[in-house]
Amino acid sequence: MLEIVRQFQYRALCFQQDAHSLLSRHEDTLSRVIALDKTRKRISSLSLSQKSLLEEAVLSIERGCFRAAHVMAWAAFIDYLEEKLASDNLKAIKAKRTGWAQYKSIEELRENVVEYQLIGVAKDVGLLSKTEMKTLHGLLAKRNECAHPSHHNPDMNEAIGYVSELLNRIDRLEKKSL
């Protein structure tokens, strides 16, 4: 009897996966969120906080809160980038930005330096190419448009694309070091 139950559970899970795979091809179905789950599982180096932020981004998409998804995904990404920049105790940053020598920790840097400049210094220390820097500046602008009063109302496709883009950028940064 137990074996029959296990077979049924296995078949139900296979059906669910196949259904999501088929439905995810349609423009407005929530099954498209499953693609994010697969992407998210690739990332092994995220902190608990970053994973939690990404979970909130996915949950926001599932609930139709697409602006919130942009904001939460960006928060996870920028936290990851800041940790990467601080991985050498801020030595590379201070070498490129002597005026930032007063900041003793990444927390102090976060409080005093805007994200736009942090992305710029990530390019200067070799974590990003010029093209990547410009793209991230654009993604930050998109986040700002979602976080502040505006007439911008992204749809599910935009939110999924935004989250996926940031996850792919984290994946690329994971392979780099200062």
Side-chain angles (χ1 to χ4, degrees):
M1 181 68 160
L2 188 58
E3 184 59 33
I4 292 172
V5 171
R6 286 188 183 141
Q7 276 186 336
F8 180 75
Q9 286 176 329
Y10 174 75
R11 288 180 181 173
L13 180 63
C14 289
F15 173 79
Q16 182 183 28
Q17 290 172 341
D18 287 345
H20 280 303
S21 177
L22 288 170
L23 291 172
S24 69
R25 296 179 187 144
H26 296 281
E27 202 64 17
D28 293 326
T29 180
L30 283 178
S31 291
R32 295 201 62 217
V33 176
I34 298 304
L36 286 178
D37 289 336
K38 290 177 183 175
T39 303
R40 187 177 51 221
K41 288 176 184 174
R42 291 189 341 228
I43 309 298
S44 60
S45 63
L46 296 180
S47 70
L48 289 176
S49 173
Q50 293 158 2
K51 286 179 184 178
S52 176
L53 290 166
L54 285 170
E55 287 291 336
E56 287 185 47
V58 172
L59 185 60
S60 295
I61 293 171
E62 291 173 338
R63 300 293 184 258
C65 302
F66 307 127
R67 289 170 62 130
H70 281 72
V71 174
M72 300 313 294
W74 179 263
F77 172 79
I78 199 66
D79 187 68
Y80 182 86
L81 180 63
E82 290 166 347
E83 283 187 4
K84 195 76 161 175
L85 287 168
S87 64
D88 68 345
N89 293 320
L90 306 177
K91 290 178 186 168
I93 289 176
K94 290 176 182 180
K96 295 291 182 179
R97 300 284 194 285
T98 54
W100 296 1
Q102 62 185 315
Y103 306 123
K104 306 294 181 226
S105 67
I106 192 63
E107 289 77 20
E108 284 184 34
L109 200 61
R110 283 179 180 145
E111 292 296 319
N112 295 288
V113 177
V114 297
E115 293 170 351
Y116 190 92
Q117 290 176 318
L118 289 173
I119 294 166
V121 80
K123 178 208 159 280
D124 293 344
V125 299
L127 288 177
L128 302 172
S129 69
K130 184 177 180 180
T131 303
E132 290 170 321
M133 177 193 71
K134 287 181 176 184
T135 300
L136 286 173
H137 282 152
L139 291 169
L140 171 59
K142 179 73 72 177
R143 175 260 176 215
N144 289 340
E145 193 173 27
C146 289
H148 302 289
S150 73
H151 295 291
H152 179 65
N153 289 307
D155 62 17
M156 181 189 300
N157 293 326
E158 289 175 88
I160 290 172
Y162 188 83
V163 173
S164 183
E165 171 79 14
L166 290 174
L167 286 170
N168 288 336
R169 302 246 169 225
I170 289 172
D171 197 29
R172 282 185 225 123
L173 280 170
E174 187 176 17
K175 297 172 179 80
K176 297 182 179 182
S177 61
L178 294 175

